[in-house]
């Protein structure tokens, strides 16, 4: 009997360590007792609005509260000073990047800045904006003349027809040099020296078309940048969630290992059964499998984030933040109609569709007026001409040629004009259809994201209640075991429930944060972070 009580005493010491499990905090690389923290008031992030964009800034969080009748904070005297409502904060300074052996730690601000500066998608969109700028400059310069300079040598031997129509035998040669080239005989040079040739309709409409194209591509570049930032933000949150789940698994494996050792001692002393020990061994193997899956998920999430920020260092990315904190980016008191109205006014994709529709309309206007507006050719050439009979190139002197022409064109007897106009009308219909499709998409994205935010807020509250209830159950089982009223295996089920509740709470917070980022993007805002820093070459500051 004395040996049995000594085992109970040893178990009680282990249980005191296991009591650390009751705190709903999430800490990467720390014990489960400090792993998942409850939502904190007065720490975290808030939103600073700048026009239609919003940025994440250091400030206050309005976290979801525990619903009425839910779990209250655990008394500090019973849990060693660990409360279910313990405040949480990020231990990493914004923009800080710590590097261990083979590991680089990034915070959210740095990840977003790297994505903004390195995103291939955003860089491609910016290059298209530069292309549109060049097209606008070219359209604005359409009426300006081109300059050409050159020389030519002409030699003729044999029969030729003169201007009167007679065919004569002659030998002649000429040499020309100056503005233009191809000066042969009495005609103007084939290549004028100063020439302006354009359709007046293009001179009128092409700058308008190019300006609308530029505006559309600017909005497209904004959308691409927002998409890149959202992808990086979501990637960071998924990595942080994976690391928190891995920390929970590590702690659970440690506690189940202690339980397996204790049940083995009980079985050896006769106080327990070998079946209980086998059950503990089975649970330990299952938890180790779960730990391996969590390690795999964390490594995969790290690789995805590295892709989003185009990480080029031979290190594994880890989150600098050690706790998951609910992030409030969009005010919770806005109705669905208010959110949709905000998105319809701010989404760059809708502005892009409007500009593309305007561009298609201007192209139709150009085609309608094209037959009524002439094309013009203005040219002038000046240079020196020398020539004579045979190979005699004496008698050099100046030569000046100037021409001005205007002509009207009806393409393909008018059938070409009709076809081009039908094509332009079809493009307008396509642009309007795409605009309507985008309107429906924006409304759906806002509605879906808002529903996920609302559901995520409730899920976070419910998961916190589950954590608190699981804590109480686990604590009571430990008390029974310490008082000799039960076997160690009886704590297994409550340990499983507490671990599951903590994982669910971590997932709920991560899903809520991702929903907030998605809603911010759906409203047309940019997912950015204030306070982070990056050096000129895109490497994290510090």
């Amino acid at each position: 009997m004395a040996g049995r009580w000594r085992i109970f005493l040893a178990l009680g010491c282990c249980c005191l360590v296991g009591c650390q499990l009751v705190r709903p905090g999430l800490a990467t690389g720390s014990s489960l007792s400090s792993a998942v923290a409850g939502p904190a008031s007065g720490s975290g992030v808030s939103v600073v609005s700048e026009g239609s964009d919003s940025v994440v800034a250091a400030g206050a969080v309005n976290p979801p509260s525990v619903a009425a009748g839910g779990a209250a904070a655990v008394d500090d005297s019973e849990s060693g000073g660990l409360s279910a409502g313990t405040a949480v904060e990020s231990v990493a300074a914004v923009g800080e990047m710590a590097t261990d052996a083979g590991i680089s730690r990034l915070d959210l601000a740095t990840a977003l800045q790297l994505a903004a500066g390195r995103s291939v998608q955003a860089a491609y969109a910016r290059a298209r904006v530069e292309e549109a700028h060049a097209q606008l400059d070219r359209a604005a310069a359409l009426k300006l003349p081109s300059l050409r300079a050159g020389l030519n040598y002409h030699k003729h031997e044999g029969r030729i027809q003169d201007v009167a129509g007679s065919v004569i035998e002659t030998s002649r040669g000429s040499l020309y040099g100056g503005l233009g080239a191809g000066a042969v005989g009495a005609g103007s040079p084939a290549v004028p020296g100063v020439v302006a040739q354009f359709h007046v309709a293009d001179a009128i409409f092409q700058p308008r078309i190019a300006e609308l194209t530029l505006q559309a591509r600017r909005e497209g570049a904004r959308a691409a940048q927002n998409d890149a930032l959202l992808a990086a933000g979501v990637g960071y949150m998924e990595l942080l969630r994976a690391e928190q789940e891995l920390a929970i698994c590590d702690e659970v494996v440690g506690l189940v290992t202690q339980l397996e050792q204790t049940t083995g001692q009980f079985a050896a002393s006769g106080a327990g059964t070998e079946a209980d020990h086998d059950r503990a061994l089975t649970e330990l193997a299952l938890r180790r499998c779960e730990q391996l899956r969590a390690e795999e998920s964390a490594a995969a999430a790290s690789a995805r984030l590295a892709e989003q920020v185009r990480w080029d260092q031979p290190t594994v990315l880890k989150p600098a933040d050690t706790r998951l904190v609910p992030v409030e980016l969009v005010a919770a008191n806005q109705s669905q109609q208010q959110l949709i109205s905000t998105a319809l006014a701010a989404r760059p994709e809708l502005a892009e569709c409007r500009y593309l529709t305007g561009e298609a309309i201007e192209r139709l206007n150009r085609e309608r007026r094209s037959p009524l507006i002439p094309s013009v050719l203005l040219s002038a050439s000046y240079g020196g001409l020398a020539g004579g009979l045979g190979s005699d190139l004496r008698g050099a002197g100046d030569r000046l040629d100037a021409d001005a022409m205007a002509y009207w064109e009806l393409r393909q007897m008018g059938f070409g004009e009709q076809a081009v106009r039908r094509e332009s009308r079809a493009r307008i219909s396509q642009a309007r259809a795409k605009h309507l499709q985008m309107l429906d998409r924006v409304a759906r994205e806002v509605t879906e994201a808002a529903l996920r935010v609302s559901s995520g807020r409730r899920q976070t509250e419910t998961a916190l209640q589950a954590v608190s209830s699981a804590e109480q159950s686990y604590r009571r089982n430990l008390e029974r075991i310490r008082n000799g009223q039960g076997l160690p295996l009886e704590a297994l089920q409550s340990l499983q429930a507490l671990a599951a509740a903590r994982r669910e709470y971590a997932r709920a917070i991560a899903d809520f944060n991702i929903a907030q980022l998605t809603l911010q993007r759906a409203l047309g805002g940019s997912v950015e972070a204030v306070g982070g820093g990056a050096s000129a070459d895109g490497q994290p500051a510090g």
Side-chain angles (χ1 to χ4, degrees):
M1 179 64 70
R4 178 175 179 176
W5 284 111
R6 282 196 297 271
I7 295 177
F8 275 124
L9 182 60
L11 176 62
C13 295
C14 293
C15 291
L16 289 176
V17 177
C19 281
Q20 296 179 6
L21 184 64
V22 302
R23 181 186 177 205
L26 285 175
T28 305
S30 62
S31 65
L32 184 63
S33 62
S34 59
V36 181
S41 177
S43 66
V45 295
S46 64
V47 176
V48 179
S49 297
E50 296 181 0
S52 62
D53 297 338
S54 299
V55 295
V56 181
V61 170
N62 297 318
S65 60
V66 179
V74 179
D75 183 64
D76 290 348
S77 62
E78 297 180 359
S79 60
L82 299 178
S83 167
T86 302
V88 296
E89 68 271 350
S90 171
V91 299
V94 178
E96 180 180 358
M97 193 271 294
T99 302
D100 301 327
I103 296 176
S104 295
R105 298 191 179 275
L106 263 66
D107 60 11
L108 178 59
T110 305
L112 293 177
Q113 290 184 359
L114 289 174
R118 295 181 173 183
S119 170
V120 176
Q121 179 183 3
Y124 175 78
R126 289 192 294 268
R128 283 174 56 83
V129 172
E130 290 300 320
E131 179 187 17
H133 268 293
Q135 292 173 348
L136 178 59
D137 292 341
R138 186 179 63 181
L142 188 61
K143 298 183 290 294
L144 298 178
S146 300
L147 302 179
R148 302 167 178 172
L151 56 86
N152 67 274
Y153 172 74
H154 173 71
K155 176 65 176 175
H156 174 78
E157 294 285 348
R159 299 172 65 83
I160 190 172
Q161 188 177 28
D162 61 17
V163 294
S166 302
V167 177
I168 60 175
E169 289 279 348
T170 187
S171 173
R172 71 181 190 185
S174 64
L175 176 65
Y176 175 84
L179 288 175
V184 177
S188 297
V191 180
V194 180
V195 59
Q197 183 177 11
F198 56 90
H199 199 301
V200 178
D202 289 334
I204 296 173
F205 291 99
Q206 200 59 39
R208 302 179 190 176
I209 294 172
E211 177 65 30
L212 291 169
T213 302
L214 174 60
Q215 295 297 336
R217 291 191 179 179
R218 282 174 175 168
E219 297 299 331
R222 280 185 55 207
Q225 183 85 339
N226 290 347
D227 289 339
L229 291 172
L230 175 61
V234 171
Y236 183 85
M237 288 297 174
E238 289 179 345
L239 175 59
L240 184 55
R241 171 172 56 187
E243 290 291 336
Q244 307 308 303
E245 292 180 356
L246 177 57
I248 294 174
C249 289
D250 291 342
E251 187 70 16
V252 169
V253 167
L255 293 176
V256 175
T257 299
Q258 296 175 5
L259 182 62
E260 180 271 328
Q261 295 172 353
T262 304
T263 55
Q265 295 173 3
F266 267 57
S269 66
T273 66
E274 287 295 335
D276 288 346
H277 186 214
D278 293 339
R279 177 71 178 87
L281 286 172
T282 302
E283 182 67 22
L284 178 59
L286 293 176
R287 292 298 175 176
R288 284 175 175 168
C289 289
E290 189 177 70
Q291 183 184 37
L292 292 174
R293 286 196 297 270
E295 291 175 353
E296 176 189 349
S297 298
S302 176
R304 288 192 294 269
L305 180 60
E307 177 189 11
Q308 297 297 336
V309 302
R310 301 189 66 222
W311 189 249
D312 55 0
Q313 303 297 321
T315 54
V316 177
L317 289 181
K318 297 285 185 179
D321 300 291
T322 59
R323 303 180 192 275
L324 272 169
V325 182
V327 176
E328 291 280 357
L329 297 177
V330 181
N333 57 356
Q334 297 187 66
S335 67
Q336 181 174 317
Q337 292 301 322
Q338 289 176 319
L339 294 174
I340 293 178
S341 298
T342 300
L344 294 180
R347 281 291 290 266
E349 295 92 337
L350 293 176
E352 181 184 14
C353 288
R354 289 192 293 269
Y355 285 122
L356 290 176
T357 301
E359 175 193 345
I361 292 174
E362 286 297 327
R363 291 187 184 277
L364 177 59
N365 292 335
R366 189 267 180 205
E367 299 303 336
R368 283 175 173 172
R369 292 166 174 79
S370 177
L372 305 177
I373 301 177
S375 297
V376 298
L377 172 61
L378 305 175
S379 66
S381 301
Y382 178 79
L385 178 66
L389 295 175
S391 299
D392 185 7
L393 298 180
R394 292 175 297 178
D398 294 342
R399 172 172 175 167
L400 173 64
D401 296 270
D403 297 280
M405 290 181 284
Y407 60 93
W408 285 257
E409 180 182 10
L410 188 64
R411 288 169 286 188
Q412 290 79 46
M413 301 294 292
F415 294 104
E417 299 293 340
Q418 294 179 4
V420 170
R421 292 173 190 175
R422 286 201 309 270
E423 180 182 354
S424 298
R425 292 191 188 97
R427 288 178 177 174
I428 294 175
S429 299
Q430 294 173 34
R432 287 174 174 169
K434 185 177 180 180
H435 191 193
L436 292 175
Q437 181 183 25
M438 185 58 64
L439 287 171
D440 295 338
R441 174 184 167 184
V442 168
R444 189 264 303 167
E445 288 180 351
V446 172
T447 301
E448 183 178 342
L451 289 174
R452 289 183 176 178
V453 167
S454 178
S455 175
R457 186 176 286 110
R458 294 192 300 270
Q459 289 179 39
T460 303
E461 296 170 358
T462 304
L464 183 57
Q465 295 176 17
V467 170
S468 182
S469 300
E471 289 172 354
Q472 296 177 15
S473 174
Y474 186 67
R475 185 182 300 107
R476 292 190 179 104
N477 275 282
L478 296 181
E479 290 295 333
R480 290 183 67 252
I481 295 172
R482 281 198 293 265
N483 295 331
Q485 299 175 359
L487 296 176
L489 196 64
E490 296 178 8
L492 180 59
Q493 187 173 3
S494 60
L495 175 61
Q496 293 171 337
L498 181 55
R502 290 184 181 281
R503 283 195 299 269
E504 185 58 34
Y505 185 54
R507 293 168 186 166
I509 294 179
D511 290 342
F512 175 77
N513 290 348
I514 291 175
Q516 284 280 349
L517 295 173
T518 305
L519 180 57
Q520 177 75 356
R521 170 67 182 92
L523 294 177
S526 176
V527 182
E528 298 181 37
V530 173
S535 59
D537 60 354
Q539 296 294 333

